[in-house]
Structure formats: C-alpha cells, structure tokens
Amino acid sequence: MNSLSDRIQLAHGRGGRLSLSLINDEIVPRFGKGPLDGLPDAATLGSISGDIVFSTDSYVVSPYKFSGGNIGNLAVHGTVNDIFVSGGSAKWLSIGLILEEGFPMSELQLILDSIKSSADECEVKIVTGDTKVVNKGQCDGIYINSAGIGEKIKEFNLSKSRLAEGDAIIVSGNVGDHGMAILSAREGVNMENGPVSDTASVRSLVLSICQCASKVKFMRDPTRGGVAAVLNEIVSGTKLGAALDSRKIPVSNGAGALAEILGIDILNVACEGRMILICDRCVADNILSVWKSFPEGVNASIMGYINNEAQRVILKTVTGGSRLVDLPAGELLPRIC
Amino acid sequence: MKYIDEYRNSETASYLVGEIRKNANTLSAQKMSINIMEVCGSHTMAISRYGIRELLPQNINLISGPGCPVCVTDAGYIDTAIALARQGAIIATFGDMINVPGSDRMTLAKSRSEGCIIEVCYSPLSAIDLAEANLDKEVVFLAIGFETTIAPIISMIDSVSEKNIKNISLLTAFKLVPPALETLTSDPELKIDAFLCPAHVSAIIGAKAYETFVKKHNIPCVIASFEPVEILLGINSILKQIINGSIKVENDYERVVTYEGNTKAQELFNKYLEDDDASWRGIGVIDASGLKLKKEFSQFDASEKFKIKIKAGAPDKGCRCGDVLKGKIRPFECPLYSKACNPLNPIGPCMVSSEGTCSAYYKYSRT
Amino acid sequence: MCLAVPMKIVEIAGKNIAVVEADGAKARISTSLITNPQVGDFVIIHAGYAIEKINQKEADLRILLFKELAELSQIPDNNAALP
C-alpha cells in the first residue's frame, strides 16, 4: 500500500483540511486563474451578446482510461461538442468530480491534466466545480459531470423542419472508434494497437464553415448508439428518410477489424470526436474540402442523402441490395453467432 | 481486412445477381420455384445485413433454418442457469445469451440487475481466468453452440483438466447440424429444395458429413462462406445443380473447409463427448441431435455437479418460433411479430438473438 | 452460428498460444485446435480460438475468379451514392 497521502480519502470530500489541500494542490494550479480565483461558491461570468446555449452530461465510462484518452478528455469534449453541434461557441465549463475512497491521487492528477489540456485546446475555461468522495465500492473509481455555456453563433439556424429531399449527409471522420476502443479494453480481447478513441473537439470543424452556415440545416454528435441512433432520431417525426451508401461510410482499420471479430455493427458504435452535418447539396463539396484540411476532418465523407421514404434510414450495401438501419437495441455485446 | 475485403466487391455481386436471374428464368420456364434453406444463423444475418433477399427473383425463396444456437436453446436451460446464479455461482456466457427469455420472460440480464454475477465472455478462455481469480466461487460456463463453438469449449475443458482447476464446470446445450437437416427434410409440411450449408460448422465436420444425407434425399447441399458475394455464389451453384440435375455436396468455401474437416477437433469430441437427444426450442426433442459430457468427465458437468436437471421451460402462448425456425412461416406471418414481440421486448428466441430470423427481419427489412 | 474472421499469425507466444493480426489489430488466441501453427499462416478465429488454417492458394484463386467476374459485369463503378 503506498502511503496514505497517495490515495483519495473520505475526508477529501468533507470540506475540511484535506479538501482544502486537494483544491490548493490540484485544482487551483490548473484552473485557478479567472472566475475560479479566490474559490467563490459560484462563478460570475461576463455578459453574452447572443443567446445562451447550455448543456450538461455525466461520464461514467469504464475502464476510465482507454487507448486515445481518458474520462477527463471525454468530460470536456462531450459537453463542448454538444454545444458546438447545437450552433453555439462553448466558453465556460463546470466540472463535478465523484471519487471513490482509495482512488489513487496519481490517477486523479492524470485526469485533471487531461481536463486542462482538452479545455485549453477547445479554448474553454473551467469556471466552477465540486468534488465529492463516496465510500469504497460505491462508485467505479471516478465519475465526472460537466456542464457548459456557449454563445449562439448567429449564422446558424438549425432545425429538423428545414430538412429537404436531396440534402447531403456528411460525417466528419471514421465512425465507431471510441466505442470500439472501450470494447477492446473491456472485453479483454487483449488487443495491441487496436482501435484508438476519437475523443476530440469539433470546435474547428464548426467554426470553419460559418460562411455557409445558412445552408447548414442540422448538426449532431453521434455518441451513444452511433450513426444509426442519430440518423433514426433525425428522421423520426418527419416525412423524410435517409439513404446511405456503405462504401461512403469511413471506418478505421482497427475499429473495423474488431467489429468483425466481435460481430458488432459499427453503425451502432459510439464516436466521441465526430459530428454528422446535414446541409443543402450545393455547399456539401465545399464543407467537405474545408473539413479535410483539418486532422480531425481528414476522413470526412458524404455518406448519403435525405429522401422521401418517411422515417426510414436505408443503407445501400456492397451487393447492391439495401437494408434498413434500425435503432440499436442497447448493450453492445460480443457475439459468437 | 485481408481475405475479407477482396470478397466484397459490388461488380462481382452484380455479375452473380445477373447469373442468378438467368438461371431463375430457366427454372420459372419449367414452372419451378426453389426454396433454399440457409441453416446457419450467420447466413441469415449476412443475407439480411447485405439486403440479398431483395436482389433475388420471385421464384427463389430463402428460408431461415434453426441455425442460431441461441434461438434453439430451450427456455428451461435459461431457468437452470439463473437458478445456479441465484445459488451464488458466477455465470460466464457469450453475449448472445444475455437477453434470451426463459420461462415468464426472466433473463440473465434481469438476474444480473438482481445482483447475480453474470460475466460476458468473448472466449471460453476468459472463463478460466474467472475461475482462477475467484477460487472461493464456482464458475459455470454456458456451453451452448453448434460444432464450431463446441470445439473451443471442449478445448478449454482440456486445459482446465490439465491445470487441475476445480471450480469451473459447463452447463451444456450442444447441438449438431446433420441430424437437424434430417428432421427438417422429413417434415411433410416443409418443401425444402436445397440447403445452403454453414461455413464454419463445415470447417469442423468436413464436407463429407453431408454425403449420406444428399445420397438419401437427393437435395443439393452447397457450403458457402458468410461473405455476401460468396452467398450469391452459393445460391447460383444451387440453381445450376438443379438445372443440370447433378445433385451433390458442393464445397464453395475450399479455402477453409476440407473434405475431412478438423480432425484434431473431432478427436476432442470423441474423447470428451457422447451423443445425446437434444431439445430444440419450438421444435421439440430430436434424437441424437446433441452432445453431452461423458460420465468420466462429470466433474465438469454442472448439471451433475450441482444435481440440477434442465426441465423443459414453458414457451409463451402464441409464440410461433418453432414454425419460423422450421421455415414453415416467415416472421411477419407470426401474430406477435413486431407487435408484442420486438427487440425491446423479445418473446421468442428468434427475436432475441441478433441473428434470430425475426430479429434479422425486424432489423433489416421489417416487411 | 459461428462468426469467425481470418487473421495472420505474427508470433508463436507459447504452448498453444499465438499472436494474430488483422489491419494492425493484434490479439492473443489459442492454437490448440490446429496442428503445427507457423508465423505467416492465415487462420480462422472463432471465440478466441483458431479453428482452421486458411488454404492461401484457394483463397487467392477465389480472389482471381471474383476479379474476372467483376470485369464481366457491365455496371460502371458509379461514385454517386443514391439519386
């Protein structure tokens, strides 16, 4: 057992001396400047000219470390991306930590470093937060909630009601990387250089297309349930459908290989650094070339078009036959049959 | 992926579809419609996942057979597994079994939420790790599957006995393909003109395993891989056999399936297993259509070790999975299909397994 | 009934254990069901076990056949997805 100071104790969450040392040693050095300075109970933020865009999400991924990142990167990118795909420019984040008694301090430091590096990369500030500690066994190491505030980007007018037949469906990069990275860490398929999580921000992808924002009708980040869940959600409740071409759906080698091995449909697998954008066909090629100039958009592809087959997502397969892309049932389970 | 992507090109697919249509026209000129049963759940899955049904002419019908080990596992088997879990055993299982309904719709997933320990494994090897990591507990591996999956499970038991690990056992529900073909063909209500035979079961049992069946019933048996374009190749081979009248066992997957099969696996079968009557969900008991552990290996047989008998479970009223499994009706001809019975609330096993006939139809065509 | 995928043996890592690779993804599997596994062999993997070696001559013959059939088919490879 390493020495006591190397592990989180219940006292770290009880507001006493140990809480203060945790904040002063680990939180202030990383996030201390700006609204967090002086540790007020709430952050006082500047005013915003446009509408406020607000989002929150909780992160309970297990294992909390995986190839390509950890729960800290996820907690920043997930909420920042939700704001950007809703047409907002993320500015401020809150971080709520729930730690299990005995959680190694070195692991917390690694995760806090990841939160800071991701926040800096997305040019957002961590402005407020909280830490609670629960008894050993009552949580799986670490859970994080993050909430974020952004300013509405005035050029964007996003709504399902604007969708029309012939609109292009663009995905910003390889699908399913994150979900497959988690599965390969969890299923003990003991994989080396298998799939790497795509956890990243879509900030530059959104800000780089503001000049044709008026022709952009809808944006979404395909997290849980992957591309299949997002597209079914988009066409539900409308008189429109979506038609995809399997040859135009980008899949990275590692994720594709593991999906074949475990018998999983990659369209149902979560991405954490991708976005799906639906726009008027006339600006599709322009957006594609802009995105391809960014590392996080190098595999961008027009994977299909909106059509009039109401509320169905159809995939044209390599045989020339088509199939329905349905909502995933839930748990991704490795299959033998 | 090497030796996968090369078999997935659209131009070859469209050529083969053209050939199938030509051969189908020749047959329809002779007023013939052909029912091809794809025995294996993985074929059913690939056929639906790659939209192959819609490419076929009217007079060529693909019927899904009882080839998914989850679909044909008896409800009583699930009840027994849950009973063992509630007695404190660690249940190790393939992911496919997690949502299979036992009696009164109880599942392993529900028992897990009650606090039972249910561990999903990609490989039987993980069951050994579980046993070694929990020496104070009993690990029971849900040993379901056809010949392809029986081989790794029995090999796992081979290494368990070598390592002398005491706290691991199998709850077996092994099934065999050839006896099932026999039962399906002798069912008067069924008109099966040809079998598309499973790829990897055939790798274990060899192409020779179908010979006596073909000689007796004079029905084409074509072994094809699960690659979509090679399924089209297999279908076309069936039509050519019928047109030329040269009925035989045809192996269209020679890169993996040999005439003799995997003799090393067959030796393990003979060492550890003996024939057994098996109960197929919805079909009933088929003589000598399964395998069980021999008496001298009863220390690995959970039903012996824990003195627990697998009782036949009560299937749901109105559930017609049995008829779907035998290819007598299509999923949408079942009254419960996509209404009371759907992926979120699967009643019969054919909706539960992602490769079950009804699940594949619901997911990929819903017509 | 039995999902299995082709992977290449890149290392023999012990008694009945091999490391296999596909598209850069590597995994440790059991070779107890096949005889005399060699580095460079392609094998079919099911549930963490190699259940058969791939006859590479047959595999390559089939690739050749499919290429010839592809040329016979008339459809130009249209890059436009759907109308």
Side-chain angles (χ1 to χ4, degrees), chain A residues 3 32 159 171 183 200 206 215 217 263 320 336:
Chain A
S3 70
S159 133
V171 65
L183 262 177
V206 172
K215 297 283 188 201
K217 315 225 177 148
I336 53 135

Side-chain angles (χ1 to χ4, degrees), chain B residues 15-48:
Chain B
Y15 174 82
L16 287 168
V17 169
E19 286 303 293
I20 287 171
R21 287 197 176 126
K22 272 189 231 145
N23 290 322
N25 285 345
T26 315
L27 288 165
S28 78
Q30 303 158 21
K31 297 276 172 295
M32 287 175 75
S33 91
I34 306 297
N35 290 335
I36 300 173
M37 177 172 273
E38 90 269 352
V39 178
C40 167
S42 303
H43 271 140
T44 307
M45 187 64 165
I47 286 162
S48 297

Side-chain angles (χ1 to χ4, degrees), chain A:
Chain A
M1 271 292 282
N2 12 25
S3 70
L4 271 180
S5 66
D6 292 350
R7 286 186 177 279
I8 291 291
Q9 299 165 50
L10 284 175
H12 280 110
R14 296 283 156 75
R17 202 166 32 77
L18 269 184
S19 299
L20 211 54
S21 76
L22 178 71
I23 291 169
N24 289 333
D25 301 347
E26 306 301 344
I27 306 295
V28 172
R30 292 183 175 85
F31 312 108
K33 287 183 282 318
L36 254 178
D37 190 13
L39 306 173
D41 283 344
T44 310
L45 309 172
S47 59
I48 280 185
S49 56
D51 294 345
I52 290 177
V53 181
F54 180 60
S55 175
T56 184
D57 222 325
S58 297
Y59 302 87
V60 294
V61 64
S62 166
Y64 60 81
K65 286 194 292 192
F66 38 82
S67 75
N70 63 52
I71 194 171
N73 310 104
L74 221 54
V76 172
H77 294 144
T79 302
V80 162
N81 288 352
D82 282 342
I83 292 169
F84 272 104
V85 294
S86 315
S89 177
K91 298 168 94 59
W92 301 302
L93 279 188
S94 74
I95 296 287
L97 301 174
I98 296 175
L99 306 176
E100 182 183 16
E101 186 186 14
F103 189 69
M105 190 63 79
S106 56
E107 292 288 272
L108 177 61
Q109 287 160 343
L110 174 108
I111 290 166
L112 290 174
D113 287 343
S114 309
I115 291 174
K116 177 163 176 36
S117 64
S118 292
D120 294 347
E121 170 221 320
C122 304
E123 297 183 18
V124 293
K125 282 217 162 328
I126 311 291
V127 292
T128 187
D130 171 55
T131 301
K132 288 290 182 300
V133 179
V134 296
N135 293 75
K136 192 153 190 55
Q138 285 188 336
C139 94
D140 191 3
I142 179 169
Y143 299 144
I144 302 180
N145 172 278
S146 68
I149 290 175
E151 179 172 9
K152 179 97 174 54
I153 304 168
K154 54 185 180 340
E155 290 90 340
F156 283 103
N157 169 16
L158 303 172
S159 133
K160 284 204 304 194
S161 59
R162 292 186 59 207
L163 295 182
E165 188 193 359
D167 284 349
I169 305 170
I170 308 176
V171 65
S172 63
N174 293 338
V175 299
D177 283 348
H178 175 72
M180 293 319 290
I182 298 291
L183 262 177
S184 75
R186 190 184 300 161
E187 278 318 310
V189 178
N190 44 51
M191 196 154 242
E192 291 161 35
N193 63 32
V196 175
S197 169
D198 55 312
T199 180
S201 126
V202 298
R203 180 175 182 279
S204 349
L205 298 179
V206 172
L207 294 181
S208 62
I209 54 166
C210 284
Q211 79 281 12
C212 45
S214 61
K215 297 283 188 201
V216 174
K217 315 225 177 148
F218 201 77
M219 299 194 286
R220 186 54 54 92
D221 58 345
T223 50
R224 285 174 308 249
V227 167
V230 163
L231 288 179
N232 274 285
E233 195 193 309
I234 289 171
V235 298
S236 74
T238 73
K239 294 197 182 50
L240 297 167
L244 310 177
D245 183 338
S246 66
R247 290 173 304 180
K248 297 289 194 298
I249 296 179
V251 177
S252 64
N253 284 346
L258 188 59
E260 289 285 342
I261 292 167
L262 298 179
I264 282 170
D265 184 345
I266 199 97
L267 292 179
N268 295 337
V269 181
C271 319
E272 281 297 347
R274 303 288 177 238
M275 59 182 283
I276 289 180
L277 177 146
I278 302 180
C279 63
D280 191 295
R281 190 189 274 243
C282 66
V283 293
D285 291 333
N286 180 350
I287 290 177
L288 203 58
S289 58
V290 168
W291 276 6
K292 280 182 180 289
S293 66
F294 291 94
E296 60 265 39
V298 71
N299 294 310
S301 167
I302 300 172
M303 58 178 182
Y305 295 87
I306 295 291
N307 66 16
N308 284 330
E309 266 191 69
Q311 305 198 46
R312 284 165 71 94
V313 179
I314 301 291
L315 178 75
K316 182 184 174 201
T317 74
V318 290
T319 65
S322 303
R323 71 156 164 109
L324 185 79
V325 176
D326 200 17
L327 263 175
E331 222 180 327
L332 283 179
L333 296 167
R335 298 183 298 108
I336 53 135
C337 163

Side-chain angles (χ1 to χ4, degrees), chain B residues 35 184-192 320 323 326-328:
Chain B
N35 290 335
L184 291 164
T185 321
S186 44
D187 185 325
E189 285 178 289
L190 273 176
K191 170 184 175 289
I192 301 175
R320 295 194 56 195
D323 292 337
K326 285 191 211 162
K328 283 185 190 160

Side-chain angles (χ1 to χ4, degrees), chain B residues 83-293:
Chain B
L84 287 170
R86 284 178 174 153
Q87 288 167 17
I90 296 178
I91 298 294
T93 176
F94 294 123
D96 312 56
M97 299 301 288
I98 288 292
N99 294 308
V100 176
S103 307
D104 52 67
R105 302 234 185 107
M106 234 338 248
T107 65
L108 289 168
K110 286 177 187 163
S111 73
R112 183 173 56 190
S113 53
E114 275 173 16
C116 296
I117 304 173
I118 315 286
E119 295 288 345
V120 174
C121 311
Y122 158 66
S123 163
L125 291 169
S126 332
I128 297 182
D129 305 338
L130 269 173
E132 287 175 328
N134 299 280
L135 292 172
D136 58 337
K137 285 215 156 82
E138 281 292 333
V139 172
V140 176
F141 185 78
L142 299 191
I144 57 113
F146 286 87
E147 292 87 338
T148 324
T149 318
I150 297 171
I153 293 171
I154 290 306
S155 165
M156 178 265 280
I157 284 295
D158 202 34
S159 24
V160 160
S161 74
E162 237 172 63
K163 289 184 179 173
N164 202 6
I165 303 169
K166 293 268 182 281
N167 61 329
I168 185 167
S169 57
L170 304 178
L171 189 64
T172 60
F174 292 144
K175 301 254 177 352
L176 301 173
V177 164
L181 300 191
E182 196 57 48
T183 304
L184 291 164
T185 321
S186 44
D187 185 325
E189 285 178 289
L190 273 176
K191 170 184 175 289
I192 301 175
D193 304 303
F195 283 102
L196 191 66
C197 293
H200 297 128
V201 163
S202 309
I204 300 291
I205 63 177
K208 69 176 183 195
Y210 303 102
E211 278 183 338
T212 39
F213 173 80
V214 170
K215 275 199 196 70
K216 183 178 167 196
H217 295 282
N218 199 31
I219 287 182
C221 275
V222 174
I223 299 165
S225 91
F226 299 134
E227 287 312 314
V229 182
E230 290 188 301
I231 289 173
L232 294 171
L233 185 77
I235 292 169
N236 197 44
S237 304
I238 286 173
L239 301 188
K240 282 193 286 187
Q241 278 197 28
I242 293 174
I243 289 172
N244 306 334
S246 63
I247 309 300
K248 55 182 174 167
V249 180
E250 188 167 353
N251 179 2
D252 274 356
Y253 193 25
E254 281 174 315
R255 62 179 181 278
V256 169
V257 176
T258 59
Y259 179 73
E260 290 301 330
N262 182 329
T263 46
K264 200 173 178 191
Q266 289 165 22
E267 277 152 26
L268 274 177
F269 281 30
N270 299 335
K271 176 180 173 187
Y272 282 96
L273 302 171
E274 60 190 19
D275 277 356
D276 184 26
D277 300 343
S279 156
W280 296 56
R281 190 170 192 147
I283 299 177
V285 176
I286 301 177
D287 296 347
S289 64
L291 293 170
K292 67 176 181 191
L293 283 160

